[in-house]
Amino acid sequence: MSAPGKVMDIDEVVGSLESGMTIGIGGWGSRRKPMALVRAICRSDLTDLTVVSYGGPDVGLLCAYGKAKAVVAPFVTLDSVPLEPHFRAARQAGAVAFTEYDEGMFMFGLYAAAHRLPFLPTPAGLGSDVLKVNPHLRTVRSPYHDGPEDGGELIAVPPLKMDAALVHMNRADRRGNAQYLGPDPYMDDLFAKAAGRTYVSCERIVETAGLLKEGPLQSLLISRSHVAGVVETPGGAHFTLGEPDHGRDERFQRLYVESASDPEKWAAFRDRFLSGDEAAYQAAVRAWREGER
Amino acid sequence: MSTGTATRAEVCAAACADLFRGDGEIVAAAVSGMVPALGARLARLTFEPGLLTTDGGPLLTAEPVPLGAPAGDVEGWLPFRDHLWLVLNGRRHVVLGASQMDRYGNSNISCIGDWERPRSQLLGVRGAPGNTKVNTTSYWIPKHSRRVFTEKVDFVSGIGQDRGAHDLRAVVTNLAVLDFATPDRRLRLRSAHPGVSAEEIAESTGFDLVIPGEVPETRVPTGEELRIMREVLDPRGLREREVPS
């Protein structure tokens, strides 16, 4: 018998999620974000999500659509545009709760959740206002030494537990083995291990035997044992960086930012790009690109 | 080539290079702008050849590469996860940015106003808490103003001298080089860039900056440093966009 196939479509993935869930989103800033799945959540009737992310336009879009009740993140940025307009607006309107961690603390929260640990200790965050705005955080002391040389206290970062995680990869097979081909895995394997179940969208589904024709053994980042479903979504990371399949669509990202500056422009952007399904989005982007030429 | 012709951006880049003097074989993590990245690569090409520098992404380059150029030969891999581990390892000197900084070097990139409901949401703390706690940290402030240098930061992202910072080396701005070489480790004017007066710097700082009786002038880049910046590392002049002359 062969391993079970896990190919799904976008709406099946989103249909398996529930309001009130904690959802982890892979990638980093405006890099290899599972944007097709995020767009589908925006179209759905899901609400009250807690979003765990090295935040980019994924967080921004979910804020813009009122889907995020809370955000857990060390930053939200579009990289080439430093600030994410919709996240800013949501924070400034008091519309979203925020758990703000240092980047390293956040990674330790992922490692703890991925390995079923109650916490991992780190000095990162000590002395900063991260402790002030996260009163749930506790500190620990080393049981081996108790001198000033150890720095004494360490923050006990609790696990970043998630009901589900969404990641976008370059390749995957039907079983759920997933591969990155760019220069940085980000933390996607940790999200996959930390979450109760993980859905992988990918540029292209290939035969299992073809995976190593695409990239080296080390590029096989996520094992099928951590994956509940696989979706083929070419351009599914658009407009974020999806190297080597495609770069960041900087011009489209700028359009997104400009559109966020004004309710009328945002309504027009939504109508034009986000009112239909993923195929309609990709077609609208192609048409926009033609018009830009 | 006359050294008298250095632009303000070039003076700033040489001052950023000087941040890494004596650092040896560690990663120069210039994460906050073109000028510090140029400074790190300039230091590596001149007086600090052991430094490790990146392509601006996850690649440690075999040689310092021009700003925005492909990595060329690669000597190592530093994806985000390993950057974060390297913070804890400590063989790293980072140059951060700041939207606000107080007299002890506490810095803010998170938000302006009340954190619960900010007047202006900025980036979030990013890696500033951990960086300042365990790495040598410097800052690059391209626009020295009272908005940035303020009595009290609205949110402590990077920790200052009064909160247990590991090693705050210096702050390079478009006007001056500042450090913490006072008995109580408050910000002090180390040198004023050529053409900038101590009065202008004091006027652009929202707290009492420690100003010595004699204010040295920031060194100008050598002829060789200017040649490297202009012909090798930044022929497109990206530094000039960050610090208009």
PDB file of all heavy atoms in Angstrom, chain A residues 74-76 82 88 91-92 98 100 102-103 127 129 183-184 186 189, chain B residues 77 79-81 110 115 117 120-121 123-127 130 156 163:
ATOM      1  N   PRO A  74       6.736  39.188  16.253  1.00  0.00           N
ATOM      2  CA  PRO A  74       7.819  40.095  16.656  1.00  0.00           C
ATOM      3  C   PRO A  74       7.868  41.366  15.803  1.00  0.00           C
ATOM      4  O   PRO A  74       8.545  42.306  16.142  1.00  0.00           O
ATOM      5  CB  PRO A  74       9.078  39.257  16.429  1.00  0.00           C
ATOM      6  CG  PRO A  74       8.704  38.282  15.356  1.00  0.00           C
ATOM      7  CD  PRO A  74       7.220  38.120  15.356  1.00  0.00           C
ATOM      8  N   PHE A  75       7.168  41.331  14.677  1.00  0.00           N
ATOM      9  CA  PHE A  75       7.126  42.479  13.767  1.00  0.00           C
ATOM     10  C   PHE A  75       6.041  42.201  12.741  1.00  0.00           C
ATOM     11  O   PHE A  75       5.621  41.047  12.565  1.00  0.00           O
ATOM     12  CB  PHE A  75       8.471  42.691  13.035  1.00  0.00           C
ATOM     13  CG  PHE A  75       8.947  41.500  12.252  1.00  0.00           C
ATOM     14  CD1 PHE A  75       8.362  41.147  11.040  1.00  0.00           C
ATOM     15  CD2 PHE A  75       9.976  40.707  12.727  1.00  0.00           C
ATOM     16  CE1 PHE A  75       8.777  40.027  10.320  1.00  0.00           C
ATOM     17  CE2 PHE A  75      10.404  39.582  12.008  1.00  0.00           C
ATOM     18  CZ  PHE A  75       9.795  39.250  10.812  1.00  0.00           C
ATOM     19  N   VAL A  76       5.607  43.259  12.061  1.00  0.00           N
ATOM     20  CA  VAL A  76       4.805  43.097  10.843  1.00  0.00           C
ATOM     21  C   VAL A  76       5.391  44.074   9.840  1.00  0.00           C
ATOM     22  O   VAL A  76       5.404  45.289  10.077  1.00  0.00           O
ATOM     23  CB  VAL A  76       3.314  43.379  11.072  1.00  0.00           C
ATOM     24  CG1 VAL A  76       2.529  43.123   9.782  1.00  0.00           C
ATOM     25  CG2 VAL A  76       2.761  42.509  12.191  1.00  0.00           C
ATOM     26  N   PRO A  82       8.680  49.355   4.808  1.00  0.00           N
ATOM     27  CA  PRO A  82       8.878  48.909   6.195  1.00  0.00           C
ATOM     28  C   PRO A  82       7.586  48.620   6.961  1.00  0.00           C
ATOM     29  O   PRO A  82       7.514  47.640   7.696  1.00  0.00           O
ATOM     30  CB  PRO A  82       9.651  50.069   6.838  1.00  0.00           C
ATOM     31  CG  PRO A  82      10.315  50.768   5.696  1.00  0.00           C
ATOM     32  CD  PRO A  82       9.403  50.614   4.521  1.00  0.00           C
ATOM     33  N   ARG A  88      -1.066  48.414  10.884  1.00  0.00           N
ATOM     34  CA  ARG A  88      -0.964  49.695  11.589  1.00  0.00           C
ATOM     35  C   ARG A  88      -2.344  50.245  11.911  1.00  0.00           C
ATOM     36  O   ARG A  88      -2.613  50.675  13.032  1.00  0.00           O
ATOM     37  CB  ARG A  88      -0.275  50.744  10.710  1.00  0.00           C
ATOM     38  CG  ARG A  88       1.148  50.487  10.403  1.00  0.00           C
ATOM     39  CD  ARG A  88       1.741  51.730   9.761  1.00  0.00           C
ATOM     40  NE  ARG A  88       2.116  52.689  10.789  1.00  0.00           N
ATOM     41  CZ  ARG A  88       2.433  53.943  10.559  1.00  0.00           C
ATOM     42  NH1 ARG A  88       2.387  54.425   9.338  1.00  0.00           N
ATOM     43  NH2 ARG A  88       2.787  54.729  11.538  1.00  0.00           N
ATOM     44  N   ARG A  91      -4.056  48.298  14.679  1.00  0.00           N
ATOM     45  CA  ARG A  91      -3.474  48.594  15.995  1.00  0.00           C
ATOM     46  C   ARG A  91      -3.903  49.982  16.470  1.00  0.00           C
ATOM     47  O   ARG A  91      -4.258  50.174  17.627  1.00  0.00           O
ATOM     48  CB  ARG A  91      -1.941  48.528  15.904  1.00  0.00           C
ATOM     49  CG  ARG A  91      -1.383  47.132  15.997  1.00  0.00           C
ATOM     50  CD  ARG A  91      -1.317  46.652  17.442  1.00  0.00           C
ATOM     51  NE  ARG A  91      -0.226  47.279  18.175  1.00  0.00           N
ATOM     52  CZ  ARG A  91      -0.252  47.548  19.468  1.00  0.00           C
ATOM     53  NH1 ARG A  91      -1.309  47.254  20.183  1.00  0.00           N
ATOM     54  NH2 ARG A  91       0.783  48.123  20.070  1.00  0.00           N
ATOM     55  N   GLN A  92      -3.866  50.934  15.545  1.00  0.00           N
ATOM     56  CA  GLN A  92      -4.152  52.314  15.933  1.00  0.00           C
ATOM     57  C   GLN A  92      -5.637  52.515  16.236  1.00  0.00           C
ATOM     58  O   GLN A  92      -6.009  53.422  16.958  1.00  0.00           O
ATOM     59  CB  GLN A  92      -3.647  53.276  14.843  1.00  0.00           C
ATOM     60  CG  GLN A  92      -2.119  53.292  14.792  1.00  0.00           C
ATOM     61  CD  GLN A  92      -1.505  53.876  13.535  1.00  0.00           C
ATOM     62  OE1 GLN A  92      -0.348  53.621  13.248  1.00  0.00           O
ATOM     63  NE2 GLN A  92      -2.279  54.653  12.782  1.00  0.00           N
ATOM     64  N   PHE A  98      -2.503  42.275  20.567  1.00  0.00           N
ATOM     65  CA  PHE A  98      -1.148  42.065  20.065  1.00  0.00           C
ATOM     66  C   PHE A  98      -0.295  41.432  21.155  1.00  0.00           C
ATOM     67  O   PHE A  98      -0.241  41.958  22.273  1.00  0.00           O
ATOM     68  CB  PHE A  98      -0.564  43.415  19.627  1.00  0.00           C
ATOM     69  CG  PHE A  98       0.762  43.355  18.901  1.00  0.00           C
ATOM     70  CD1 PHE A  98       1.169  42.225  18.203  1.00  0.00           C
ATOM     71  CD2 PHE A  98       1.597  44.470  18.900  1.00  0.00           C
ATOM     72  CE1 PHE A  98       2.387  42.197  17.528  1.00  0.00           C
ATOM     73  CE2 PHE A  98       2.817  44.453  18.224  1.00  0.00           C
ATOM     74  CZ  PHE A  98       3.209  43.312  17.548  1.00  0.00           C
ATOM     75  N   GLU A 100       3.472  40.855  21.566  1.00  0.00           N
ATOM     76  CA  GLU A 100       4.687  41.318  20.882  1.00  0.00           C
ATOM     77  C   GLU A 100       5.914  40.689  21.530  1.00  0.00           C
ATOM     78  O   GLU A 100       6.230  40.973  22.676  1.00  0.00           O
ATOM     79  CB  GLU A 100       4.743  42.853  20.969  1.00  0.00           C
ATOM     80  CG  GLU A 100       5.916  43.456  20.228  1.00  0.00           C
ATOM     81  CD  GLU A 100       5.801  44.978  20.086  1.00  0.00           C
ATOM     82  OE1 GLU A 100       4.816  45.567  20.582  1.00  0.00           O
ATOM     83  OE2 GLU A 100       6.714  45.563  19.474  1.00  0.00           O
ATOM     84  N   ASP A 102      10.182  39.431  21.054  1.00  0.00           N
ATOM     85  CA  ASP A 102      11.448  39.503  20.325  1.00  0.00           C
ATOM     86  C   ASP A 102      11.496  38.362  19.289  1.00  0.00           C
ATOM     87  O   ASP A 102      10.915  37.291  19.508  1.00  0.00           O
ATOM     88  CB  ASP A 102      12.596  39.360  21.340  1.00  0.00           C
ATOM     89  CG  ASP A 102      13.953  39.106  20.690  1.00  0.00           C
ATOM     90  OD1 ASP A 102      14.600  40.093  20.320  1.00  0.00           O
ATOM     91  OD2 ASP A 102      14.324  37.921  20.548  1.00  0.00           O
ATOM     92  N   GLU A 103      12.211  38.573  18.169  1.00  0.00           N
ATOM     93  CA  GLU A 103      12.298  37.556  17.110  1.00  0.00           C
ATOM     94  C   GLU A 103      12.828  36.213  17.621  1.00  0.00           C
ATOM     95  O   GLU A 103      12.366  35.146  17.213  1.00  0.00           O
ATOM     96  CB  GLU A 103      13.245  38.024  15.996  1.00  0.00           C
ATOM     97  CG  GLU A 103      12.707  39.141  15.142  1.00  0.00           C
ATOM     98  CD  GLU A 103      13.759  39.680  14.165  1.00  0.00           C
ATOM     99  OE1 GLU A 103      14.866  39.118  14.082  1.00  0.00           O
ATOM    100  OE2 GLU A 103      13.464  40.669  13.479  1.00  0.00           O
ATOM    101  N   GLY A 127      14.883  43.000  30.288  1.00  0.00           N
ATOM    102  CA  GLY A 127      15.159  44.427  30.363  1.00  0.00           C
ATOM    103  C   GLY A 127      14.288  45.272  29.456  1.00  0.00           C
ATOM    104  O   GLY A 127      14.206  46.481  29.623  1.00  0.00           O
ATOM    105  N   ASP A 129      10.630  46.319  27.249  1.00  0.00           N
ATOM    106  CA  ASP A 129       9.201  46.445  27.547  1.00  0.00           C
ATOM    107  C   ASP A 129       8.387  45.260  27.039  1.00  0.00           C
ATOM    108  O   ASP A 129       7.179  45.209  27.267  1.00  0.00           O
ATOM    109  CB  ASP A 129       8.652  47.756  26.968  1.00  0.00           C
ATOM    110  CG  ASP A 129       8.980  48.953  27.865  1.00  0.00           C
ATOM    111  OD1 ASP A 129       9.404  48.723  29.020  1.00  0.00           O
ATOM    112  OD2 ASP A 129       8.809  50.097  27.408  1.00  0.00           O
ATOM    113  N   PRO A 183      16.910  30.447  -0.767  1.00  0.00           N
ATOM    114  CA  PRO A 183      18.069  30.439   0.131  1.00  0.00           C
ATOM    115  C   PRO A 183      17.725  30.384   1.624  1.00  0.00           C
ATOM    116  O   PRO A 183      18.635  30.282   2.434  1.00  0.00           O
ATOM    117  CB  PRO A 183      18.778  31.749  -0.207  1.00  0.00           C
ATOM    118  CG  PRO A 183      17.684  32.652  -0.671  1.00  0.00           C
ATOM    119  CD  PRO A 183      16.678  31.773  -1.367  1.00  0.00           C
ATOM    120  N   ASP A 184      16.447  30.461   1.976  1.00  0.00           N
ATOM    121  CA  ASP A 184      16.108  30.512   3.408  1.00  0.00           C
ATOM    122  C   ASP A 184      14.844  29.696   3.670  1.00  0.00           C
ATOM    123  O   ASP A 184      13.815  29.926   3.025  1.00  0.00           O
ATOM    124  CB  ASP A 184      15.900  31.972   3.845  1.00  0.00           C
ATOM    125  CG  ASP A 184      15.997  32.157   5.359  1.00  0.00           C
ATOM    126  OD1 ASP A 184      15.462  31.297   6.094  1.00  0.00           O
ATOM    127  OD2 ASP A 184      16.591  33.154   5.805  1.00  0.00           O
ATOM    128  N   TYR A 186      13.143  29.923   6.289  1.00  0.00           N
ATOM    129  CA  TYR A 186      12.379  30.640   7.315  1.00  0.00           C
ATOM    130  C   TYR A 186      12.112  29.668   8.466  1.00  0.00           C
ATOM    131  O   TYR A 186      12.997  28.865   8.796  1.00  0.00           O
ATOM    132  CB  TYR A 186      11.129  31.294   6.719  1.00  0.00           C
ATOM    133  CG  TYR A 186      11.459  32.074   5.455  1.00  0.00           C
ATOM    134  CD1 TYR A 186      10.849  31.790   4.225  1.00  0.00           C
ATOM    135  CD2 TYR A 186      12.431  33.061   5.476  1.00  0.00           C
ATOM    136  CE1 TYR A 186      11.200  32.481   3.069  1.00  0.00           C
ATOM    137  CE2 TYR A 186      12.789  33.755   4.322  1.00  0.00           C
ATOM    138  CZ  TYR A 186      12.171  33.460   3.125  1.00  0.00           C
ATOM    139  OH  TYR A 186      12.529  34.124   1.992  1.00  0.00           O
ATOM    140  N   ASP A 189       9.282  24.646   8.835  1.00  0.00           N
ATOM    141  CA  ASP A 189       9.258  23.305   9.425  1.00  0.00           C
ATOM    142  C   ASP A 189       8.835  23.362  10.892  1.00  0.00           C
ATOM    143  O   ASP A 189       8.154  22.458  11.388  1.00  0.00           O
ATOM    144  CB  ASP A 189      10.623  22.626   9.285  1.00  0.00           C
ATOM    145  CG  ASP A 189      11.767  23.501   9.788  1.00  0.00           C
ATOM    146  OD1 ASP A 189      11.656  24.742   9.737  1.00  0.00           O
ATOM    147  OD2 ASP A 189      12.782  22.947  10.249  1.00  0.00           O
TER     148      ASP A 189
ATOM    149  N   TRP B  77      26.414  30.290   5.142  1.00  0.00           N
ATOM    150  CA  TRP B  77      24.957  30.405   5.027  1.00  0.00           C
ATOM    151  C   TRP B  77      24.417  30.877   6.365  1.00  0.00           C
ATOM    152  O   TRP B  77      24.730  30.281   7.397  1.00  0.00           O
ATOM    153  CB  TRP B  77      24.401  29.017   4.672  1.00  0.00           C
ATOM    154  CG  TRP B  77      22.943  28.953   4.413  1.00  0.00           C
ATOM    155  CD1 TRP B  77      22.178  29.816   3.696  1.00  0.00           C
ATOM    156  CD2 TRP B  77      22.045  27.926   4.869  1.00  0.00           C
ATOM    157  NE1 TRP B  77      20.877  29.401   3.653  1.00  0.00           N
ATOM    158  CE2 TRP B  77      20.775  28.249   4.366  1.00  0.00           C
ATOM    159  CE3 TRP B  77      22.209  26.766   5.644  1.00  0.00           C
ATOM    160  CZ2 TRP B  77      19.649  27.449   4.624  1.00  0.00           C
ATOM    161  CZ3 TRP B  77      21.101  25.979   5.895  1.00  0.00           C
ATOM    162  CH2 TRP B  77      19.829  26.319   5.377  1.00  0.00           C
ATOM    163  N   PRO B  79      20.764  31.797   7.255  1.00  0.00           N
ATOM    164  CA  PRO B  79      19.328  32.067   7.176  1.00  0.00           C
ATOM    165  C   PRO B  79      18.842  32.658   8.500  1.00  0.00           C
ATOM    166  O   PRO B  79      19.565  32.626   9.497  1.00  0.00           O
ATOM    167  CB  PRO B  79      18.720  30.694   6.908  1.00  0.00           C
ATOM    168  CG  PRO B  79      19.703  29.728   7.468  1.00  0.00           C
ATOM    169  CD  PRO B  79      21.052  30.362   7.284  1.00  0.00           C
ATOM    170  N   PHE B  80      17.621  33.179   8.497  1.00  0.00           N
ATOM    171  CA  PHE B  80      17.136  33.914   9.669  1.00  0.00           C
ATOM    172  C   PHE B  80      17.284  33.105  10.957  1.00  0.00           C
ATOM    173  O   PHE B  80      17.673  33.621  11.992  1.00  0.00           O
ATOM    174  CB  PHE B  80      15.676  34.326   9.481  1.00  0.00           C
ATOM    175  CG  PHE B  80      15.511  35.490   8.559  1.00  0.00           C
ATOM    176  CD1 PHE B  80      14.767  35.375   7.395  1.00  0.00           C
ATOM    177  CD2 PHE B  80      16.092  36.715   8.836  1.00  0.00           C
ATOM    178  CE1 PHE B  80      14.607  36.453   6.528  1.00  0.00           C
ATOM    179  CE2 PHE B  80      15.945  37.808   7.980  1.00  0.00           C
ATOM    180  CZ  PHE B  80      15.194  37.672   6.827  1.00  0.00           C
ATOM    181  N   ARG B  81      16.976  31.804  10.880  1.00  0.00           N
ATOM    182  CA  ARG B  81      17.031  31.015  12.125  1.00  0.00           C
ATOM    183  C   ARG B  81      18.441  31.002  12.693  1.00  0.00           C
ATOM    184  O   ARG B  81      18.628  31.041  13.903  1.00  0.00           O
ATOM    185  CB  ARG B  81      16.518  29.598  11.873  1.00  0.00           C
ATOM    186  CG  ARG B  81      17.368  28.811  10.916  1.00  0.00           C
ATOM    187  CD  ARG B  81      16.826  27.414  10.710  1.00  0.00           C
ATOM    188  NE  ARG B  81      15.502  27.436  10.086  1.00  0.00           N
ATOM    189  CZ  ARG B  81      14.679  26.399  10.030  1.00  0.00           C
ATOM    190  NH1 ARG B  81      15.028  25.252  10.572  1.00  0.00           N
ATOM    191  NH2 ARG B  81      13.516  26.493   9.450  1.00  0.00           N
ATOM    192  N   SER B 110       9.050  50.104  18.009  1.00  0.00           N
ATOM    193  CA  SER B 110       7.793  49.376  18.121  1.00  0.00           C
ATOM    194  C   SER B 110       6.581  50.236  17.792  1.00  0.00           C
ATOM    195  O   SER B 110       5.798  49.897  16.904  1.00  0.00           O
ATOM    196  CB  SER B 110       7.666  48.804  19.530  1.00  0.00           C
ATOM    197  OG  SER B 110       6.477  48.090  19.649  1.00  0.00           O
ATOM    198  N   TRP B 115       1.231  51.976  24.101  1.00  0.00           N
ATOM    199  CA  TRP B 115       1.343  50.677  23.422  1.00  0.00           C
ATOM    200  C   TRP B 115      -0.024  50.016  23.236  1.00  0.00           C
ATOM    201  O   TRP B 115      -0.272  49.356  22.223  1.00  0.00           O
ATOM    202  CB  TRP B 115       2.270  49.738  24.225  1.00  0.00           C
ATOM    203  CG  TRP B 115       2.439  48.402  23.567  1.00  0.00           C
ATOM    204  CD1 TRP B 115       3.366  48.060  22.616  1.00  0.00           C
ATOM    205  CD2 TRP B 115       1.646  47.221  23.777  1.00  0.00           C
ATOM    206  NE1 TRP B 115       3.202  46.755  22.226  1.00  0.00           N
ATOM    207  CE2 TRP B 115       2.151  46.201  22.922  1.00  0.00           C
ATOM    208  CE3 TRP B 115       0.557  46.928  24.600  1.00  0.00           C
ATOM    209  CZ2 TRP B 115       1.610  44.919  22.881  1.00  0.00           C
ATOM    210  CZ3 TRP B 115       0.016  45.650  24.556  1.00  0.00           C
ATOM    211  CH2 TRP B 115       0.542  44.658  23.704  1.00  0.00           C
ATOM    212  N   ARG B 117      -2.870  51.220  22.596  1.00  0.00           N
ATOM    213  CA  ARG B 117      -3.495  51.721  21.365  1.00  0.00           C
ATOM    214  C   ARG B 117      -2.624  52.839  20.820  1.00  0.00           C
ATOM    215  O   ARG B 117      -2.844  54.016  21.115  1.00  0.00           O
ATOM    216  CB  ARG B 117      -4.911  52.213  21.655  1.00  0.00           C
ATOM    217  CG  ARG B 117      -5.617  52.585  20.378  1.00  0.00           C
ATOM    218  CD  ARG B 117      -7.087  52.816  20.574  1.00  0.00           C
ATOM    219  NE  ARG B 117      -7.642  53.383  19.365  1.00  0.00           N
ATOM    220  CZ  ARG B 117      -8.913  53.675  19.216  1.00  0.00           C
ATOM    221  NH1 ARG B 117      -9.759  53.468  20.201  1.00  0.00           N
ATOM    222  NH2 ARG B 117      -9.348  54.184  18.079  1.00  0.00           N
ATOM    223  N   SER B 120       0.928  55.704  16.567  1.00  0.00           N
ATOM    224  CA  SER B 120       1.559  55.253  15.328  1.00  0.00           C
ATOM    225  C   SER B 120       2.219  53.896  15.566  1.00  0.00           C
ATOM    226  O   SER B 120       3.179  53.786  16.325  1.00  0.00           O
ATOM    227  CB  SER B 120       2.603  56.290  14.877  1.00  0.00           C
ATOM    228  OG  SER B 120       3.249  55.829  13.707  1.00  0.00           O
ATOM    229  N   GLN B 121       1.671  52.881  14.940  1.00  0.00           N
ATOM    230  CA  GLN B 121       2.281  51.551  15.034  1.00  0.00           C
ATOM    231  C   GLN B 121       3.483  51.509  14.099  1.00  0.00           C
ATOM    232  O   GLN B 121       3.362  51.834  12.915  1.00  0.00           O
ATOM    233  CB  GLN B 121       1.265  50.468  14.645  1.00  0.00           C
ATOM    234  CG  GLN B 121       1.848  49.073  14.531  1.00  0.00           C
ATOM    235  CD  GLN B 121       2.334  48.515  15.866  1.00  0.00           C
ATOM    236  OE1 GLN B 121       1.709  48.722  16.899  1.00  0.00           O
ATOM    237  NE2 GLN B 121       3.470  47.832  15.854  1.00  0.00           N
ATOM    238  N   LEU B 123       7.316  49.085  13.496  1.00  0.00           N
ATOM    239  CA  LEU B 123       7.637  47.714  13.076  1.00  0.00           C
ATOM    240  C   LEU B 123       7.242  46.643  14.075  1.00  0.00           C
ATOM    241  O   LEU B 123       6.931  45.510  13.698  1.00  0.00           O
ATOM    242  CB  LEU B 123       9.158  47.603  12.872  1.00  0.00           C
ATOM    243  CG  LEU B 123       9.727  48.187  11.595  1.00  0.00           C
ATOM    244  CD1 LEU B 123      11.251  48.223  11.684  1.00  0.00           C
ATOM    245  CD2 LEU B 123       9.305  47.361  10.395  1.00  0.00           C
ATOM    246  N   GLY B 124       7.268  46.960  15.366  1.00  0.00           N
ATOM    247  CA  GLY B 124       7.341  45.912  16.387  1.00  0.00           C
ATOM    248  C   GLY B 124       8.797  45.792  16.822  1.00  0.00           C
ATOM    249  O   GLY B 124       9.693  46.311  16.143  1.00  0.00           O
ATOM    250  N   VAL B 125       9.037  45.092  17.911  1.00  0.00           N
ATOM    251  CA  VAL B 125      10.396  45.119  18.501  1.00  0.00           C
ATOM    252  C   VAL B 125      11.450  44.423  17.649  1.00  0.00           C
ATOM    253  O   VAL B 125      12.646  44.600  17.859  1.00  0.00           O
ATOM    254  CB  VAL B 125      10.436  44.480  19.914  1.00  0.00           C
ATOM    255  CG1 VAL B 125       9.646  45.320  20.886  1.00  0.00           C
ATOM    256  CG2 VAL B 125       9.955  43.036  19.898  1.00  0.00           C
ATOM    257  N   ARG B 126      11.014  43.590  16.698  1.00  0.00           N
ATOM    258  CA  ARG B 126      11.956  42.794  15.889  1.00  0.00           C
ATOM    259  C   ARG B 126      12.935  42.071  16.813  1.00  0.00           C
ATOM    260  O   ARG B 126      12.542  41.525  17.833  1.00  0.00           O
ATOM    261  CB  ARG B 126      12.692  43.686  14.870  1.00  0.00           C
ATOM    262  CG  ARG B 126      11.739  44.263  13.825  1.00  0.00           C
ATOM    263  CD  ARG B 126      12.352  44.335  12.454  1.00  0.00           C
ATOM    264  NE  ARG B 126      12.573  43.009  11.897  1.00  0.00           N
ATOM    265  CZ  ARG B 126      12.526  42.689  10.632  1.00  0.00           C
ATOM    266  NH1 ARG B 126      12.260  43.620   9.736  1.00  0.00           N
ATOM    267  NH2 ARG B 126      12.744  41.470  10.208  1.00  0.00           N
ATOM    268  N   GLY B 127      14.242  42.117  16.481  1.00  0.00           N
ATOM    269  CA  GLY B 127      15.226  41.427  17.326  1.00  0.00           C
ATOM    270  C   GLY B 127      15.936  42.349  18.299  1.00  0.00           C
ATOM    271  O   GLY B 127      16.914  41.940  18.919  1.00  0.00           O
ATOM    272  N   GLY B 130      16.742  41.130  22.138  1.00  0.00           N
ATOM    273  CA  GLY B 130      17.789  40.123  22.249  1.00  0.00           C
ATOM    274  C   GLY B 130      19.141  40.634  21.784  1.00  0.00           C
ATOM    275  O   GLY B 130      20.171  40.364  22.396  1.00  0.00           O
ATOM    276  N   VAL B 156      10.415  50.459  25.137  1.00  0.00           N
ATOM    277  CA  VAL B 156      11.813  50.030  25.122  1.00  0.00           C
ATOM    278  C   VAL B 156      11.929  48.751  24.292  1.00  0.00           C
ATOM    279  O   VAL B 156      11.598  47.655  24.751  1.00  0.00           O
ATOM    280  CB  VAL B 156      12.364  49.812  26.546  1.00  0.00           C
ATOM    281  CG1 VAL B 156      13.802  49.272  26.481  1.00  0.00           C
ATOM    282  CG2 VAL B 156      12.316  51.099  27.345  1.00  0.00           C
ATOM    283  N   ARG B 163      19.491  49.440  31.650  1.00  0.00           N
ATOM    284  CA  ARG B 163      18.645  48.245  31.673  1.00  0.00           C
ATOM    285  C   ARG B 163      19.437  46.980  31.339  1.00  0.00           C
ATOM    286  O   ARG B 163      18.847  45.959  30.978  1.00  0.00           O
ATOM    287  CB  ARG B 163      17.484  48.385  30.682  1.00  0.00           C
ATOM    288  CG  ARG B 163      16.376  49.318  31.165  1.00  0.00           C
ATOM    289  CD  ARG B 163      15.354  49.502  30.054  1.00  0.00           C
ATOM    290  NE  ARG B 163      14.175  50.247  30.493  1.00  0.00           N
ATOM    291  CZ  ARG B 163      12.954  49.715  30.606  1.00  0.00           C
ATOM    292  NH1 ARG B 163      12.738  48.442  30.326  1.00  0.00           N
ATOM    293  NH2 ARG B 163      11.941  50.457  30.982  1.00  0.00           N
TER     294      ARG B 163
END
